[in-house]
Each structure stands twice: as C-alpha cells, then as structure tokens.
Amino acid sequence: MAAVSLEEARRLVLEGCRPLPFARERLGAAVGLATSEPVMAANAVPPFDNTAMDGYAVRAADTSSAPVTLEVIGTIAAGDTGDLAVGPGQAARIMTGAPIPPGADAVVMVERTRRQGDDKVVVEVAATPGDHVRRTGDDIRPGQEVVPAGTTLTAAHIGVLASVGADPVAVTRRATVGVLSTGDELAPPGAPLKRGQIRDSNRPTLLALLEQAGCRPVDLGAVGDDEAAITHALEQGLSACDALLTSGGVSVGDFDYVKVVLDRLSGGGMRWMQVAIRPAKPLAFGTVGAKPVFGLPGNPVSSVVSFELFARPALRQMMGHPHIDRPRATAVAEEDLRRSPDGKLHLVRVVASFTPDGTLRIRSAGGQGSHILTGLAAANALALLPDGPGVSAGEKTDIVLLADPLSLRP
Ligand code: AMP
Ligand code: MG
C-alpha cells in the first residue's frame, strides 16, 4: 500500500466530516462551543446610567466653588430605582452600580467628601459633568452584534451573553463520540493481569482527549478480536454517537477484524491508509451512514498522535470551530534531536519551555517508542522533524503545542 502524506490524509479526513446541526445550549454548558449564528444584544449594557463609585450624586455646577456644603436628600443603593430627584444645592448618597438620580450629572467619590450630621455633606473637589458616571450602552448598544457566528465561546463571551440575557445560545452541537478498544490481550478492568494481558490504556486516554476537545465522550468498552463482538459494539456506538474512535486492529495482523467489520458496515467506504509519519502510521477513516469512524492504531502513543493529527481537527470542524488545530510555533532545540531518514515525518515528544528572554526551546521528553506512554506524559509538544538526519542543538524546528509551554518547567 502506497504511503500517503500527512496533508493528504488530513484532507481526506476533513472532507468526510460535515458540520453538526445547531442546538440551543444553556450558557452554563456552552463554554468551548462555537456559536452557529450571530448574537444581537436585547438590551443596552449598562442598561441605565449608574455610578462607578461609592459617593454622592451631585449637580456638577453646584460644586464649581468647592469646597461646598450640600443638603443630603437620601441614599440610593444598587438595585434601587433611583427616583430621588436631586435639585440645586442637593446631593444623594449613592453606592456603586446604583442609578444616577434625575437632576444629578456627576458623582463625587466618598473619599473627597466629609459628612456633617445626618443631612449635610461637604464636597471638597469640583466635579465635571459625567465624573464617575457609567453611561447607558457604554459597553453594548441594544441591537448590536455582541458575538459573531462561528465564535468559540470563552468564559468572557459567556459573560457578554449573560449581560444581554442571551441564554440559551445557538451553538453547533457538541459531538457525541464513542470510543471502542479492541484486542484479546486487554484485561477486564480491575482484574489481575494474566500472562499475555495488558491494561486498556487507550480507551481512558481517548475519552479524556475527547473531553478536552469539547466533545461528549461515550465509553463503548473493550471487545476481543472477534468479528461478531466488534460488529455489535460498532453498531451500538453508531446508533448513539455522531462519530466513533476505535483503537487497535487496523494494521496487518492476522486478527485485525476491525478492518473486516468496518469495510462491511461502510459498504467499502473505509480508507485504509499508511500515513508517512512516525508514530501513527496506520489509519483507517471512513463514514458509516455519514458518521465518521476513525480506526486509530493500537500502540498507545500512536493512538494519541493519530487523534491529535486527524480526529481532533475533524471533530472540531464538525463542531463549527474557526480554529481546529493546536497552536504551532518554531522552537530552538536545546540538544540534538536525531532521527534516521525513512521517508516519513517524525513527531517527537518534547518538552517546550520559554527561556527568561522569551525564546521557546525544546528538549526530548524521554523514550520515543510508540509504546512509551510516560514519554508522552512528560511532553507538552510534538516536534515535527522532516525526513533527514533530525536537528542539531541550536537549530530551529516547528512544533505543535499540546499544552501551555509554561505548564512544564525544566
Ligand atoms: P494492534 O493495532 O491491534 O495490532 O495493536 C498494536 C499494539 O497496541 C499492541 O501491542 C497492542 O497490545 C497495543 N494495544 C492495542 N489496544 C490497546 C489498548 N486499548 N491499550 C493499550 N495498548 C493497546
Ligand atoms: Mg490488536
């Protein structure tokens, strides 16, 4: 089978993944989802002129010859209607967020006043109209577009939407994604390991990656290398999910039944690829009834790298996100990162960190075997080493950031 390039494999995968329908999501559950339509403000923010400070609402003209003594006519708290009209020579005690009363046009901070008895205040500085007043619509005008369509909602966007009462909000639906492990060697959870058995590490890892990618993960369990069991599990998964991930059984072993089953379920529509990358060479991708199915490799590091390169961007595209890829950067190798020429792009697990002067640098995160999960766990980036001898200390190379480069310190 001819090897396909990373770009070609990615193109095939992204082409097969259509956007999901929209849904109305409560703001409390919408962070990280992408808006499916623009959101217009139903009200101004602030909705009324209010004070930015605790102090006294005054008529600025009354204070021009400060210090002046004004008559205190009452107190306006946040939440009050603020109907107390302030006439010439008068002031109202006012608390942050309270409406500016009729007649007043400025606020003097309490620190610039001195109270005299119950009904007098000395204002020590002259106020200018508008002082400490937050005007209606300062932030948002009614009818204004506050969040465009196709915005990945951050916590601050949630705040903006809440401030205009846009709850629920129209978003592209969260993808429900099933994860199935395959292999006779996988021990049942909690049971002691018998000879020849291993723990199923791919399934919890992929479920966690889905959660972090903003999907709704569905655990489809593990099945042995058995055609009927794999068929049953995949059919169940397809009926409940928008997309499926399997791991194992997609290379050229004698018991790789995932291939047989997916070929049948997809009506021959699966692509079995050997991608010119290391790790994560084998990849199966296709759609079953328009639902994408990713047959990821069994080796633990390979399944993660394959998820990162193919499944994560595809699922993010399905969920309408404007940015589907992890951030990339250029980094300086702190040490030699050697490889041998083999026609493939190597994705090396590295630790990226900033030097005090702001240079992004990388070093190997440890063992690079496709079964060495601890090397992956120690890494926060993948260095992209093109075919050739690798990079020498001091040379630059491109990296894909898997985590904040400040999250791991050398
Ligand atoms: P396969 O792709 O089925 O040939 O599996 C390749 C390698 O990955 C083998 O060493 C498997 O034992 C291992 N493997 C497959 N599935 C899992 C899993 N769910 N967790 C950990 N290792 C696995
Ligand atoms: Mg297997």
Side-chain angles (χ1 to χ4, degrees), residues 182-185 225 247-251 255-256 298:
T182 67
D184 281 343
E185 71 276 37
D225 294 308
S247 75
V250 297
S251 39
F255 306 102
D256 289 343

Side-chain angles (χ1 to χ4, degrees), residues 256-268:
D256 289 343
Y257 293 117
V258 175
K259 278 184 129 159
V260 180
V261 174
L262 282 178
D263 268 336
R264 183 157 42 75
L265 292 179
S266 67

Side-chain angles (χ1 to χ4, degrees), residues 13-34:
V13 167
L14 291 181
E15 249 176 38
C17 294
R18 301 269 78 84
L20 290 167
F22 85 94
R24 295 205 174 275
E25 193 66 75
R26 288 171 301 111
L27 283 190
V31 71
L33 294 173

Side-chain angles (χ1 to χ4, degrees), residues 20-394:
L20 290 167
F22 85 94
R24 295 205 174 275
E25 193 66 75
R26 288 171 301 111
L27 283 190
V31 71
L33 294 173
T35 49
S36 57
E37 53 187 54
V39 182
M40 309 301 175
N43 57 262
V45 180
F48 50 89
D49 292 358
N50 70 95
T51 172
M53 293 285 174
D54 294 326
Y56 287 87
V58 298
R59 301 164 77 98
D62 287 352
T63 66
S64 55
S65 57
V68 293
T69 302
L70 301 175
E71 178 199 354
V72 179
I73 56 168
T75 299
I76 308 164
D80 285 353
T81 53
D83 297 334
L84 198 68
V86 175
Q90 293 183 328
R93 177 85 172 102
I94 193 166
M95 311 304 166
T96 304
I100 302 293
D105 58 6
V107 172
V108 180
M109 305 165 65
V110 71
E111 292 86 343
R112 298 278 179 272
T113 66
R114 233 174 330 115
R115 190 72 179 240
Q116 283 187 338
D118 273 355
D119 59 352
K120 293 276 186 296
V121 65
V122 180
V123 171
E124 291 169 337
V125 290
T128 307
D131 276 1
H132 306 303
V133 176
R134 300 189 288 212
R135 291 266 171 239
T136 308
D138 240 6
D139 186 7
I140 299 168
R141 286 168 282 104
Q144 179 187 331
E145 179 181 293
V146 283
V147 179
T151 302
T152 300
L153 294 172
T154 63
H157 288 124
I158 299 292
V160 168
L161 293 172
S163 72
V164 297
D167 186 6
V169 61
V171 293
T172 305
R173 192 153 64 71
R174 199 183 288 283
T176 300
V177 186
V179 179
L180 178 70
S181 287
T182 67
D184 281 343
E185 71 276 37
L186 303 177
L193 287 179
K194 293 190 190 141
R195 178 157 174 79
Q197 289 188 328
I198 58 167
R199 298 275 177 223
D200 177 357
S201 58
N202 290 352
R203 189 157 43 104
T205 309
L206 292 168
L207 290 166
L209 285 167
L210 286 168
E211 180 91 47
Q212 287 184 337
C215 303
R216 183 175 293 117
V218 176
D219 188 349
L220 300 176
V223 290
D225 294 308
D226 173 88
E227 205 178 318
I230 294 171
T231 305
H232 180 72
L234 287 177
E235 282 176 346
Q236 292 257 298
L238 284 163
S239 69
C241 302
D242 300 308
L244 293 189
L245 309 178
T246 68
S247 75
V250 297
S251 39
V252 287
D254 285 350
F255 306 102
D256 289 343
Y257 293 117
V258 175
K259 278 184 129 159
V260 180
V261 174
L262 282 178
D263 268 336
R264 183 157 42 75
L265 292 179
S266 67
M270 292 301 288
R271 287 285 308 248
W272 302 95
M273 291 174 263
Q274 301 288 316
V275 188
I277 55 174
R278 182 187 163 128
K281 182 173 68 156
L283 170 71
F285 175 76
T287 51
V288 179
K291 295 185 176 178
V293 181
F294 298 83
L296 305 180
N299 277 309
V301 177
S302 306
S303 67
V304 172
V305 169
S306 196
F307 177 88
E308 287 292 340
L309 297 179
F310 305 111
R312 188 177 181 282
L315 293 166
R316 294 200 50 88
Q317 177 180 281
M318 287 170 72
M319 294 191 293
H321 290 291
H323 304 292
I324 59 175
D325 290 310
R326 298 271 199 191
R328 287 201 179 199
T330 303
V332 178
E334 275 183 77
E335 57 187 16
D336 291 351
L337 296 171
R338 291 278 159 242
R339 52 156 295 176
S340 38
D342 58 4
K344 295 178 194 158
L345 172 75
H346 286 202
L347 298 122
V348 175
R349 276 70 78 206
V350 294
V351 178
S353 59
F354 284 109
T355 60
D357 70 0
T359 307
L360 191 56
R361 61 185 170 177
I362 50 169
R363 60 180 166 80
S364 171
Q368 297 292 331
S370 60
H371 62 298
I372 309 287
L373 263 179
T374 53
L376 179 67
N380 60 359
L382 297 172
L384 307 175
L385 301 188
D387 196 20
V391 296
S392 305

